[in-house]
């Protein structure tokens, strides 16, 4: 606990333990330390700002990265709170919590979102401004994310694309359903196709975020078109062959005679 003047008496070396091991170098047990002095130099500005806020009567929070002499590193969240006596701030209390695992898990998830090949983006449903985009989304929109964050779809896409996207966004907000559609996009003079899924998250106050997942399906689309073309060519060729064979047969329904065959017999021959 720190006194009002910001100095802290350490009855033993300030090992500042996380678990059972000291986090940073030990200090002099006979010396009084300022709170900021117990943290690495690169974080002392944050510590001092938290102290000032706590001295005004409000709790403050900061996050610091700590490393021990043996190389073990930890992320720590610290809350600095005022100690009140008769409505006056008489001291400060700092409580630290190891959040290393939370940070590592969040970093792992962030990397997945960033580098997944599908374009991911999110918008604030209230004002329609983009709040998150991953790397693949830059290709989908044709801009780097620094240019996109905080903008609306009307400021990002051409008028026709923006109008169509807004209509679909209104649909997912009104229905709560996930909708899927394909969108052609011309990038660097090359026409590409994307399959887009739009969904909406909701809170007590209504729609919160519109989330989009866009996957490029250009190669799949071209393969389907090529297969369809081959099938059409095959049907046309078969039809021409069938017509050529029928030209050599005279069909008179119900009138058999010399040199003349009945319909059912002719069709049976053509089907062989």
């Amino acid at each position: 606990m720190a006194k009002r003047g910001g100095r802290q008496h350490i009855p033993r070396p300030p090992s500042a333990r996380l678990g059972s091991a000291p986090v940073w170098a030990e200090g002099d047990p006979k010396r009084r330390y300022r709170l900021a002095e117990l943290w690495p130099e690169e974080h002392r500005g944050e510590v001092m700002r938290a102290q000032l806020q706590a001295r005004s009567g409000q709790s403050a929070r900061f996050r610091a990265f700590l490393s021990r002499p043996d190389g073990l590193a930890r992320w720590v969240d610290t809350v600095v709170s005022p100690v009140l006596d008769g409505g006056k701030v008489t001291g400060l209390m700092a409580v630290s919590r190891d959040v290393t695992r939370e940070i590592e898990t969040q970093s792992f998830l962030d990397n997945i979102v960033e580098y997944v090949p599908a374009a991911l983006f999110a918008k604030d449903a209230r004002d329609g401004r983009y709040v998150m985009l991953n790397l693949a989304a830059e290709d989908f929109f044709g801009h780097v994310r620094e240019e996109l964050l905080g903008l609306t779809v009307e400021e990002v896409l051409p008028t026709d694309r923006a109008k169509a996207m807004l209509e679909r966004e209104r649909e997912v907000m009104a229905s709560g359903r996930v909708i899927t559609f394909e969108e052609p996009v011309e990038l660097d003079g090359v026409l590409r196709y994307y399959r887009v899924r739009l969904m909406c998250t909701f809170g007590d106050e209504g729609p919160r975020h519109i989330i989009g997942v866009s996957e490029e399906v250009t190669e799949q689309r071209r393969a389907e078109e090529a297969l369809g073309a081959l099938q059409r060519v095959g049907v046309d060729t078969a039809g021409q062959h069938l017509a050529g064979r029928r030209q050599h047969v005279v069909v008179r329904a119900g009138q058999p005679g010399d040199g003349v065959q009945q319909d059912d017999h002719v069709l049976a021959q053509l089907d062989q």
Side-chain angles (χ1 to χ4, degrees):
M1 182 178 296
K3 296 297 184 181
R4 185 69 173 84
R7 293 186 179 275
Q8 181 173 3
H9 175 64
I10 306 295
R12 58 184 176 80
S15 55
R17 294 177 180 273
L18 285 178
S20 60
V23 176
W24 57 82
E26 296 183 348
D28 183 354
K30 298 180 180 180
R31 178 186 167 191
R32 290 179 179 270
Y33 288 83
R34 291 185 180 276
L35 181 61
E37 293 176 325
L38 300 177
W39 299 88
E41 187 173 354
E42 61 268 27
H43 294 294
R44 289 179 183 174
E46 301 171 68
V47 178
M48 294 178 70
R49 283 190 290 271
Q51 274 187 278
L52 290 173
Q53 185 172 334
R55 287 173 183 169
S56 70
Q58 298 179 340
S59 295
R61 181 190 303 270
F62 66 90
R63 176 170 292 177
F65 181 74
L66 308 173
S67 59
R68 298 192 321 203
D70 63 3
L72 184 64
R74 288 288 185 268
W75 282 98
V76 178
D77 270 1
T78 300
V79 177
V80 183
S81 303
V83 177
L84 302 176
D85 184 4
K88 295 182 179 180
V89 178
T90 59
L92 304 178
M93 180 175 65
V95 178
S96 296
R97 182 172 67 93
D98 186 348
V99 293
T100 305
R101 180 164 295 185
E102 297 174 28
I103 296 293
E104 291 176 346
T105 299
Q106 187 61 51
S107 178
F108 173 70
L109 294 175
D110 289 344
N111 282 331
I112 292 177
V113 169
E114 177 67 3
Y115 297 109
V116 70
L120 302 176
F121 56 91
K123 300 173 61 176
D124 189 320
R126 293 165 297 183
D127 58 18
R129 299 188 180 278
Y130 291 100
V131 296
M132 188 280 291
L133 303 104
N134 71 345
L135 193 60
E138 295 183 355
D139 285 337
F140 177 70
F141 288 105
H143 299 276
V144 297
R145 79 192 71 188
E146 289 77 13
E147 298 175 353
L148 298 172
L149 292 174
L151 299 182
T152 64
V153 68
E154 297 98 325
E155 297 171 306
V156 173
L157 297 179
T159 303
D160 292 344
R161 283 185 64 192
K163 182 179 179 180
M165 186 68 77
L166 281 173
E167 291 176 355
R168 290 167 176 137
E169 289 175 359
R170 294 189 188 103
E171 180 181 346
V172 298
M173 285 192 290
S175 67
R177 296 184 295 105
V178 177
I179 65 170
T180 303
F181 58 94
E182 281 195 9
E183 183 176 23
V185 179
E186 186 172 339
L187 297 173
D188 299 326
V190 178
L191 185 62
R192 301 180 185 179
Y193 293 90
Y194 288 85
R195 181 172 294 124
V196 184
R197 297 180 186 86
L198 283 182
M199 62 204 78
C200 186
T201 64
F202 293 85
D204 295 337
E205 71 283 3
R208 284 186 176 177
H209 293 95
I210 299 170
I211 301 173
V213 181
S214 177
E215 179 184 8
E216 185 175 355
V217 293
T218 305
E219 295 303 321
Q220 178 182 339
R221 179 71 176 268
R222 289 173 179 168
E224 292 173 352
E225 291 176 350
L227 179 60
L230 287 175
Q231 291 174 338
R232 288 192 297 273
V233 170
V235 170
D236 292 344
T237 302
Q240 293 172 3
H241 179 64
L242 183 61
R245 292 187 62 185
R246 289 194 176 216
Q247 287 178 359
H248 298 288
V249 180
V250 177
V251 178
R252 295 179 183 176
Q255 297 182 10
D258 294 337
V260 179
Q261 305 176 49
Q262 291 186 356
D263 287 355
D264 55 352
H265 179 61
V266 172
L267 294 177
Q269 286 184 328
L270 292 176
D271 291 336
Q272 291 177 355

